[in-house]
């Protein structure tokens, strides 16, 4: 006799949502098939459940599914769990359920948390009719094509989306469904920082676009700041080195003049190079400058040291200036993000006010419809009443046909015009000059 496959819903964030029946089912199963055994073992340890685990996920479902089916057909029971939520809903578990159904293996579900239903319940959007679309394709082209297929959908739609794709998805949704369409963004469900933002697609897309730019700016700023901090010691060392080299520069100028023939003889030295080496090396040593002994062109070496040092210092100082500008940009971005958050909050207030106005409008419409029904009933009663004629000659009253009969005779079955004078009398020219309800 075949065993049973149990689909056991797991918490989506709060372990307190795991039911006693679910824990009992896991404890009694022969083995547990898990989306990620590393995640599921934490759940089992929390409830002190010791059972063998096998892996079943998107990338091994074909081979793993057959192996699980074989064990089920031999009489073992298996509990299928995901990292969070209900197995087989937007999940490779649906393949295992189909495999069991095709081979006569009973499948039972142990209900619990479902993120899609939870989000729908707290969204504030219509819940009477809805569709579940799961995860959209990750590719831009495929995602836009799928959204285009849904442009005529008027029911509430539920989507799952990864945080790193949310900005692009919201932009595509705003383009496909229109920026004014209402949306509820639900995150961290059942957790400490659970949040539901109710707004429009246009506002949500703009908010997350600005948030991403700000995050990228902060990351670049942090990297630049770290680089500057790492180079501070080198900057200070280079600055000190330049200060030591500066006293040598007059000798460099003298060397250039001597070499160019501007000065024919300098302190009895035959060549500029010999003079420079004999004079500058001792001075450099006293200043603490380390000049290698194998340097042949000492003046060029000193000049290059000065040029390189100044270039490094300028690069560092330019980095500081860019960092200051980045701080201003980030401050402006944070201000814009706060404004966007205020707009989101105001959007929720406006949506709530709109809901109240809609409710009041429905009440007024119901009152109007009730009034119309009463008028219709009154008209029906009016048309069935007999009428009397006031003879202008002697004042005698004579019975006339009903108002309806007179109007029908005058205008046919489709009459719709009758006149009332100031006294509420109906004027009809058909043998009776004035008709008045009694």
């Amino acid at each position: 006799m075949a065993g049973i496959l149990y689909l056991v819903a797991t918490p989506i964030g709060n372990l307190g949502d795991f039911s006693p029946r679910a824990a009992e089912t896991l404890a009694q199963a022969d083995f547990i098939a898990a989306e990620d055994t590393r995640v599921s073992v934490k759940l089992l340890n929390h409830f002190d459940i010791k059972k063998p685990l096998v892996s079943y996920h998107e990338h091994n479902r074909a081979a793993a599914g057959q192996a699980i089916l074989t064990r089920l057909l031999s009489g073992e029971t298996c509990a299928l769990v995901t990292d969070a939520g209900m197995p087989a809903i937007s999940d490779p578990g649906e393949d295992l359920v189909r495999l069991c159904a095709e081979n006569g293996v009973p499948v039972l579900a142990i209900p619990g948390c479902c993120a899609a239903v939870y989000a729908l319940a707290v969204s504030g959007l219509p819940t009477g009719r809805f569709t579940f679309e799961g995860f959209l394709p990750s590719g831009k082209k495929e995602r836009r094509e799928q959204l285009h297929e849904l442009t005529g959908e008027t029911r509430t739609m539920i989507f799952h989306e990864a945080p790193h794709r949310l900005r692009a998805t919201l932009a595509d949704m705003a383009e496909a469904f229109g920026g004014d369409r209402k949306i509820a963004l639900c995150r961290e469900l059942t957790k400490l920082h659970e949040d539901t933002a109710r707004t429009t697609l246009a506002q949500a897309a703009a908010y997350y676009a600005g948030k991403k730019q700000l995050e990228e700016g902060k990351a670049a700023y942090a990297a630049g700041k770290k680089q500057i901090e790492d180079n501070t010691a080198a900057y200070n060392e280079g600055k000190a080195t330049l200060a030591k080299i500066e006293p040598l520069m007059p000798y460099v100028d003298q060397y250039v003049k001597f070499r160019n023939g501007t000065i024919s003889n300098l302190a009895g030295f035959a060549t500029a190079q010999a003079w420079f080496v004999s004079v500058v090396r001792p001075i450099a040593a006293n200043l603490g400058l380390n000049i290698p002994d194998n340097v042949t062109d000492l003046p060029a070496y000193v000049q290059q040291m000065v040029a390189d040092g100044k270039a490094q210092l300028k690069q560092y100082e330019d980095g500081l200036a860019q960092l200051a500008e980045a701080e201003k940009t980030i401050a402006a971005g944070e201000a814009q993000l706060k404004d966007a958050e205020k707009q989101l909050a105001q959007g929720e207030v406006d949506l709530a006010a709109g809901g109240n106005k809609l409710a009041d409008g429905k009440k007024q419409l119901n009152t109007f419809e009730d009034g119309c029904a009463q008028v219709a009933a009154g008209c029906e009663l009016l048309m069935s009443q007999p009428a009397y004629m006031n003879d202008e000659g002697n004042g005698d009253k004579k019975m006339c046909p009903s108002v309806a009969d007179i109007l029908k005779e005058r205008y046919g079955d489709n009459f719709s015009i009758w006149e009332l004078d100031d006294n509420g009398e109906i004027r009809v020219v058909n043998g009776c000059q004035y008709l008045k309800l009694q």
Side-chain angles (χ1 to χ4, degrees):
M1 182 177 178
I4 299 174
L5 174 67
Y6 292 97
L7 308 178
V8 182
T10 55
I12 60 176
N14 191 323
L15 289 174
D17 295 332
F18 199 55
S19 71
R21 184 186 174 202
E24 182 181 2
T25 300
L26 293 183
Q28 293 180 352
D30 292 313
F31 67 101
I32 298 171
E35 178 182 2
D36 188 335
T37 55
R38 296 167 298 180
V39 174
S40 296
V41 75
K42 297 177 182 178
L43 176 70
L44 298 181
N45 289 339
H46 181 81
F47 290 96
D48 196 24
I49 298 172
K50 307 297 181 183
K51 286 292 175 178
L53 285 166
V54 298
S55 177
Y56 178 82
H57 50 73
E58 177 68 27
H59 305 293
N60 74 344
R61 56 182 172 179
Q66 287 295 334
I68 293 171
L69 177 64
T70 299
R71 296 180 66 173
L72 287 168
L73 290 173
S74 69
E76 291 186 81
T77 59
C78 172
L80 178 64
V81 296
T82 65
D83 292 348
M86 191 70 192
I89 302 299
S90 192
D91 173 78
E94 66 176 304
D95 290 347
L96 184 58
V97 172
R98 181 170 56 251
L99 198 60
C100 289
E102 292 171 351
N103 289 273
V105 176
V107 179
L108 299 176
I110 309 300
C113 291
C114 178
V117 175
Y118 187 111
L120 176 66
V122 302
S123 68
L125 299 173
T127 60
R129 300 177 68 222
F130 61 90
T131 66
F132 176 66
E133 298 297 330
F135 283 98
L136 290 166
S138 57
K140 179 189 294 186
K141 180 180 178 182
E142 294 80 3
R143 180 174 63 241
R144 289 180 174 179
E145 288 176 351
Q146 186 165 329
L147 289 173
H148 180 72
E149 294 174 0
L150 298 170
T151 52
E153 180 60 71
T154 59
R155 294 171 293 182
T156 299
M157 292 179 283
I158 306 171
F159 297 89
H160 285 165
E161 190 52 283
H164 67 278
R165 290 202 302 262
L166 182 59
R167 179 184 61 84
T169 297
L170 287 172
D172 290 342
M173 283 183 170
E175 182 178 348
F177 305 136
D180 292 335
R181 183 148 185 172
K182 297 177 184 177
I183 185 175
L185 297 163
C186 306
R187 64 183 185 90
E188 299 292 309
L189 297 179
T190 76
K191 298 179 183 178
L192 179 63
H193 300 292
E194 176 176 336
D195 178 62
T196 298
R198 302 172 183 87
T199 181
T200 63
L201 279 173
Q203 289 178 330
Y207 172 78
Y208 280 94
K211 187 175 182 180
K212 179 176 176 59
Q213 291 175 352
L214 182 60
E215 289 172 351
E216 291 175 348
K218 284 184 174 181
Y221 170 80
K225 187 175 182 180
K226 185 178 186 305
Q227 186 176 5
I228 291 293
E229 290 172 350
D230 292 343
N231 292 334
T232 299
Y235 169 79
N236 292 333
E237 183 179 347
K239 198 171 182 180
T241 301
L242 273 181
K244 293 177 181 179
I245 294 175
E246 285 296 332
L248 300 180
M249 295 313 295
Y251 296 96
V252 173
D253 293 338
Q254 288 287 83
Y255 162 80
V256 172
K257 292 177 181 179
F258 190 16
R259 185 188 62 186
N260 293 339
T262 306
I263 302 176
S264 59
N265 191 303
L266 190 62
F269 287 92
T271 65
Q273 178 74 11
W275 170 81
F276 194 85
V277 171
S278 65
V279 173
V280 170
R281 270 197 179 277
I283 296 174
N286 290 333
L287 292 174
L289 289 172
N290 183 22
I291 298 177
D293 293 336
N294 60 353
V295 174
T296 58
D297 191 351
L298 185 58
Y301 181 82
V302 172
Q303 287 177 313
Q304 191 61 49
M305 285 180 64
V306 172
D308 291 345
K310 287 182 176 180
Q312 291 176 355
L313 291 183
K314 185 177 186 307
Q315 184 178 5
Y316 181 86
E317 290 165 355
D318 288 345
L320 289 176
Q322 292 173 359
L323 205 61
E325 288 299 320
E327 288 178 346
K328 294 178 182 178
T329 302
I330 288 174
E334 288 178 337
Q336 291 175 355
L337 198 61
K338 287 182 179 179
D339 289 340
E341 289 174 347
K342 290 179 181 178
Q343 291 177 0
L344 284 176
Q346 185 60 45
E348 289 199 35
V349 173
D350 293 342
L351 286 175
N356 293 335
K357 290 181 180 179
L358 181 61
D360 292 340
K362 286 182 178 179
K363 289 180 182 179
Q364 294 175 0
L365 183 59
N366 290 336
T367 302
F368 176 75
E369 289 175 347
D370 290 343
C372 289
Q374 294 174 3
V375 170
C379 289
E380 184 177 355
L381 178 64
L382 169 67
M383 300 303 287
S384 65
Q385 296 297 315
Y388 294 88
M389 178 187 71
N390 291 327
D391 191 312
E392 291 185 349
N394 53 24
D396 293 339
K397 295 181 179 179
K398 293 196 299 184
M399 191 71 167
C400 284
S402 70
V403 174
D405 290 338
I406 294 174
L407 295 178
K408 284 180 181 179
E409 181 178 350
R410 172 68 174 172
Y411 299 107
D413 290 336
N414 296 322
F415 65 88
S416 59
I417 301 175
W418 24 314
E419 296 179 354
L420 294 175
D421 65 9
D422 294 338
N423 297 320
E425 297 179 355
I426 303 173
R427 294 182 178 278
V428 180
V429 181
N430 188 31
C432 297
Q433 293 180 332
Y434 296 98
L435 297 175
K436 186 176 183 180
L437 294 176
Q438 301 298 309

